Amino acid sequence: MDLLYFAWVRERIGTGQERLDPPEAVVNIADLIGWLATLSPGHAEAMREPERLRAAIDQRFVPLDAPLGNAREVALFPPVTGG
Amino acid sequence: MDLLYFAWVRERIGTGQERLDPPEAVVNIADLIGWLATLSPGHAEAMREPERLRAAIDQRFVPLDAPLGNAREVALFPPVTGG
Amino acid sequence: MIRVSVDSAPIELSVEVAALEERGAGGVATFTGLVRGDDGVTALELEHYPGMTEAVLIDLAEAATSRWELLGVTIVHRVGIMTPGERIVFVGAAAHHRREALDACAYLIDRLKTDAPFWKREQIGEGARWVEARASDGDAAGRWL
Amino acid sequence: MIRVSVDSAPIELSVEVAALEERGAGGVATFTGLVRGDDGVTALELEHYPGMTEAVLIDLAEAATSRWELLGVTIVHRVGIMTPGERIVFVGAAAHHRREALDACAYLIDRLKTDAPFWKREQIGEGARWVEARASDGDAAGRWL
């Protein structure tokens, strides 16, 4: 699974992209956030406040309880601030 | 009193401006329209449908029943169509 | 800062927008009215009431600045003869916040349509006709009362 | 006609407006967002989600054209580093009637603010901070549901 990170999520983790293979118990975005938090201190810091995170699966916004299904690309980021 | 005419009012009368001295019985815009209609065939044609006319006294829009008072400049024209 | 102009010269959109952008605003909203070329119109002539027209436009710009927090308001209206595709009118508002700029811009053009003494005459081939006022313009201006 | 662009080059407002004006519309409404220089901000950096951002903007432009009768829709968003006074975003709509153009323009910028994956980072002297999303943006986008 390709993981993409943007804004301060990217900065805290230290990379904008990584390929990871989450365990089977990780079935939705919230699970994924919890699992990512265990990977490194940077990941832990980025995932510390899940309520401040937003997600997209295969480039579509999804809520945090969305199932991962056969996601190829999952992105995690703060609420958007463009325009 | 300076009379100003715009758009088809001006075209029908044949001039955009004239100085006139209405009789004392002419006290409001509606009276003025009625009196102007008697001046020439062009005036009559321009004043034929008072409900299609709008007016300004000293460069402020007024309703047709507005008193002329000490008006120095009275303008008659169709509803505006700018923009 | 208010800028009002009634002129027979073509409207210089880039210049007008640049002046609004220089106000230090977060956003600039604009509306430009153009001569449409459909209906066979070959030229459009705009007549106005010199003196009163400018005064009405200044009143309108001032009404917008007292209603919203604006850093700049521009109203430029062309008069005389113009051809399809040319700009008839430009209104613009600069504000810190986009809602103010957008609302002020809509307000300016809606009220200009009903309150400013301009008259349009369409040239269609050899003929010409004075454009009739539309009831929908009165409705649009009424939104802001 | 829809035009969507996400680019690090400065936004060429004259070019964008001219393209909308050439659609033969009666009116063109635009909104331009600028980097504000107050609060001591010395630079603004815009990050986006390549691929998804463009797709969201195209969806948004198409939603506007199905909601209103439009002859042209343009959304141009700059990314990378920009300085106070520079343009961040330009949205514009061309339509036969002004109400469509004005409403579509407001809709595009309101929804872009909440739906398009962009993130702003402000540079303030030596420091930098990620801009927080504002609840009022959600409210503004909610007007269009």
Side-chain angles (χ1 to χ4, degrees), chain B residues 31 38 50 56 58 63 75-77 83:
Chain B
D31 297 338
T38 67
D58 293 332
L76 294 171
F77 42 78

Side-chain angles (χ1 to χ4, degrees), chain C residues 26 28 30 32 34 99 110 143, chain D residues 26 28 30 34 99 110 143:
Chain C
V28 171
T30 75
T32 307
L34 303 156
R99 184 60 40 211
D110 281 349
R143 294 170 65 211
Chain D
V28 171
T30 75
L34 302 156
R99 183 61 41 213
D110 281 349
R143 294 169 65 209

Side-chain angles (χ1 to χ4, degrees), chain C residues 116-140:
Chain C
F118 291 101
W119 298 272
K120 280 196 185 98
R121 193 168 74 146
E122 292 176 339
Q123 192 88 33
I124 301 174
E126 296 300 297
R129 66 171 178 220
W130 291 96
V131 174
E132 297 271 337
R134 291 187 306 181
S136 63
D137 286 333
D139 298 343

Side-chain angles (χ1 to χ4, degrees), chain C residues 8-22:
Chain C
S8 60
I11 296 173
E12 297 268 22
L13 190 124
S14 303
V15 174
E16 302 300 343
V17 171
L20 286 168
E21 289 188 350
E22 279 160 18

Side-chain angles (χ1 to χ4, degrees), chain C residues 7-10 35 42-47 78-84 86-88 119 121-123:
Chain C
D7 198 321
S8 60
V35 183
T42 48
L44 190 70
E45 186 167 359
L46 258 292
E47 182 169 333
R78 191 167 172 199
V79 291
I81 295 173
M82 51 209 88
T83 54
E86 288 198 283
R87 299 177 190 118
I88 307 166
W119 298 272
R121 193 168 74 146
E122 292 176 339
Q123 192 88 33

Side-chain angles (χ1 to χ4, degrees), chain B residues 4-8 10-11 52 56 58-61 73-75 77-83, chain C residues 47-52 77 88-89 112-121 130-133:
Chain B
L4 301 186
Y5 310 118
F6 295 100
W8 52 255
R10 172 181 55 71
E11 287 189 329
R52 294 182 63 201
D58 293 332
Q59 305 202 353
R60 303 224 159 244
F61 290 112
E73 181 176 299
V74 177
F77 42 78
V80 303
T81 56
Chain C
E47 182 169 333
H48 77 299
Y49 186 162
M52 179 172 172
H77 205 295
I88 307 166
V89 63
L112 183 151
K113 288 259 178 187
T114 56
D115 293 7
F118 291 101
W119 298 272
K120 280 196 185 98
R121 193 168 74 146
W130 291 96
V131 174
E132 297 271 337

Side-chain angles (χ1 to χ4, degrees), chain D residues 31-109:
Chain D
F31 177 82
T32 306
L34 302 156
V35 183
R36 287 169 55 177
D38 47 5
D39 312 324
V41 172
T42 48
L44 189 70
E45 185 167 358
L46 258 292
E47 182 170 335
H48 77 299
Y49 185 162
M52 180 172 171
T53 303
E54 292 82 351
V56 166
L57 296 183
I58 290 168
D59 284 352
L60 187 48
E62 285 174 350
T65 58
S66 66
R67 189 163 176 151
W68 292 281
E69 204 173 313
L70 302 177
L71 295 166
V73 175
T74 298
I75 308 175
V76 181
H77 205 295
R78 191 166 172 197
V79 291
I81 295 174
M82 51 210 89
T83 53
E86 288 197 285
R87 299 178 190 115
I88 307 166
V89 62
F90 169 88
V91 300
H96 280 311
H97 303 291
R98 74 180 181 286
R99 183 61 41 213
E100 275 86 346
L102 291 163
D103 285 352
C105 181
Y107 170 89
L108 290 168
I109 189 65

